[in-house]
Amino acid sequence: MGKYFGTDGFRGEANENLTADHAYKVGRFLGWYYGELKRQNGDDTPARIIIGKDTRRSSYMFEYTLVGGLVASGADAYLLHVTTTPSVAYVARVDEFDCGIMISASHNPYFDNGIKLINGNGEKMDEETISLVEAYLDGSLEVFGQKWEEIPFAKKEKIGCTVDYVSGRNRYIGYLISLGVYSFRGVKVALDCANGSSWNIAKAVFDALGAKTYVINAQPDGTNINNNAGSTHIGGLQKYVVENGMDVGFAYDGDADRCLCVDEKGNVITGDHILYIYGKYMKERGKLLTNTVVTTVMSNFGLYKAFDELGIDYAKTAVGDKYVYEYMMKNGCRIGGEQSG
């Protein structure tokens, strides 16, 4: 991990140790760096960078300051507005953006925020690029064979523009719906949206698949994200499912990159349970490549015992979905995840 960026981005209390100035400089660097990469490859078109945000009050501040930095460096900034982290990764990949940015502090309280960087393949940004961002923040940037006391501003027609790209979020919703193999007709589904990014996405997906969908914690006001809600406060969903006779419940965190489940009796189905269910399902159908499920060291011993009984191998990585994904890519594994959902 670097000085500013950890395993899940640059995170801190808004305008305390993660400031609007930090965001502007991150935008300045990314807009210039990706534009320069293209120029050195003979492509004079501006860098294209996609941005999403969660519902925190400070997310708007960071969005605007990031955009200011990006366009000042000559990049075009495309705005998904309030959306989920997975949607930014999806759109960055399928629409061939140079990189993506998600403004969120995930499951943290509203006064925290973060800047997550995503590459053009929809993956977490590589450490080499992140180290360059940090070097620029510290005034010690050295790249493209020289030292830079400051990077140039774009001028005249080279100044970037901002594009409303809510259509990308809508196409992501359509993509999720297209993954549905079975109808949920008649199934009563409860959703806890944590007053976060999933509040205007999750219900549309389950409705389209035929479910009778009931939603709690979908009234974001800028300060109530994750407040006694979502996957880190699962008790509210457990109670709702039992009291209202739901068949199943799903709880997301603030940026909807994690999910926990509740069965009809109110029992929590953790990330470990989900990994077991999917691992078993895929093995039975011959789809579990390398016969391995990737976990972190936080997974429960009972999960490994259950995999042993099924003849499924498993790997353990350091905590963080970044490390799970890196192992999967390196070893050709089909599924991995964290106990936290």
Side-chain angles (χ1 to χ4, degrees), residues 291-311:
N291 193 46
T292 301
V293 176
V294 185
T295 72
T296 75
V297 294
M298 294 299 290
S299 282
N300 191 284
F301 176 75
L303 174 65
Y304 303 128
K305 185 176 180 181
F307 279 150
D308 286 338
E309 292 176 357
L310 293 176

Side-chain angles (χ1 to χ4, degrees), residues 13-300:
E13 184 173 340
N15 277 347
E16 185 65 38
N17 47 356
L18 172 58
T19 67
D21 189 50
H22 285 130
Y24 174 72
K25 289 179 177 177
V26 170
R28 280 277 285 135
F29 176 79
L30 293 175
W32 170 78
Y33 176 72
Y34 281 101
E36 188 62 26
L37 282 177
K38 297 178 89 167
R39 285 188 288 274
Q40 294 202 5
N41 288 319
D43 182 353
D44 199 40
T45 60
R48 299 169 63 251
I49 296 175
I50 188 77
I51 303 176
K53 66 175 182 284
D54 69 16
T55 58
R56 294 162 213 273
R57 179 169 295 181
S58 63
S59 290
Y60 292 84
M61 173 184 72
F62 288 123
E63 178 185 53
Y64 297 148
T65 49
L66 277 162
V67 167
L70 289 167
V71 300
S73 290
D76 291 342
Y78 291 71
L79 305 184
L80 291 171
H81 305 288
V82 173
T83 193
T84 65
T85 293
S87 74
V88 177
Y90 172 80
V91 174
R93 176 172 58 84
V94 299
D95 288 351
E96 298 183 339
F97 282 91
D98 293 293
C99 75
I101 304 171
M102 180 64 186
I103 304 162
S104 177
S106 193
H107 58 279
N108 285 25
Y110 82 91
F111 47 80
D112 288 340
N113 216 323
I115 299 172
K116 301 182 181 183
L117 303 183
I118 297 167
N119 68 22
N121 293 322
E123 306 160 339
K124 289 193 174 182
M125 191 68 75
D126 61 276
E127 293 295 334
E128 182 180 355
T129 303
I130 287 175
S131 69
L132 292 174
V133 178
E134 295 197 336
Y136 176 65
L137 290 173
D138 282 339
S140 58
L141 178 63
E142 186 171 353
V143 66
F144 301 126
Q146 69 179 92
K147 293 182 179 180
W148 302 83
E149 291 186 8
E150 187 50 86
I151 55 178
F153 284 99
K155 298 178 181 178
K156 298 180 180 177
E157 77 280 0
K158 296 296 185 180
I159 294 173
C161 67
T162 305
V163 181
D164 187 303
Y165 210 63
V166 70
S167 61
R169 184 184 68 193
N170 294 338
R171 283 188 291 103
Y172 174 70
I173 294 174
Y175 164 70
L176 293 180
I177 294 168
S178 75
L179 297 176
V181 178
Y182 305 106
S183 170
F184 281 73
R185 184 176 179 85
V187 179
K188 297 173 70 175
V189 177
L191 303 175
D192 184 342
C193 293
N195 294 310
S197 291
S198 66
W199 82 273
N200 60 355
I201 291 180
K203 187 177 189 302
V205 174
F206 282 94
D207 284 349
L209 294 174
K212 294 181 178 179
T213 314
Y214 302 80
V215 184
I216 61 174
N217 298 314
Q219 298 83 35
D221 63 10
T223 64
N224 61 359
I225 187 171
N226 300 315
N227 186 16
N228 294 316
S231 60
T232 52
H233 299 85
I234 197 74
L237 181 63
Q238 290 176 284
K239 182 179 179 182
Y240 185 87
V241 165
V242 172
E243 291 182 350
N244 294 278
M246 299 287 111
D247 296 307
V248 66
F250 299 96
Y252 306 99
D253 68 341
D255 63 334
D257 66 350
R258 76 172 67 191
C259 173
L260 295 180
C261 306
V262 173
D263 70 14
E264 75 281 4
K265 296 179 181 178
N267 299 310
V268 178
I269 309 301
T270 70
D272 280 352
H273 291 98
I274 295 169
L275 285 173
Y276 174 80
I277 292 167
Y278 272 109
K280 182 175 186 293
Y281 179 90
M282 295 170 75
K283 183 177 177 64
E284 289 173 348
R285 287 157 180 77
K287 296 182 178 181
L288 187 61
L289 298 184
T290 73
N291 193 46
T292 301
V293 176
V294 185
T295 72
T296 75
V297 294
M298 294 299 290
S299 282
N300 191 284

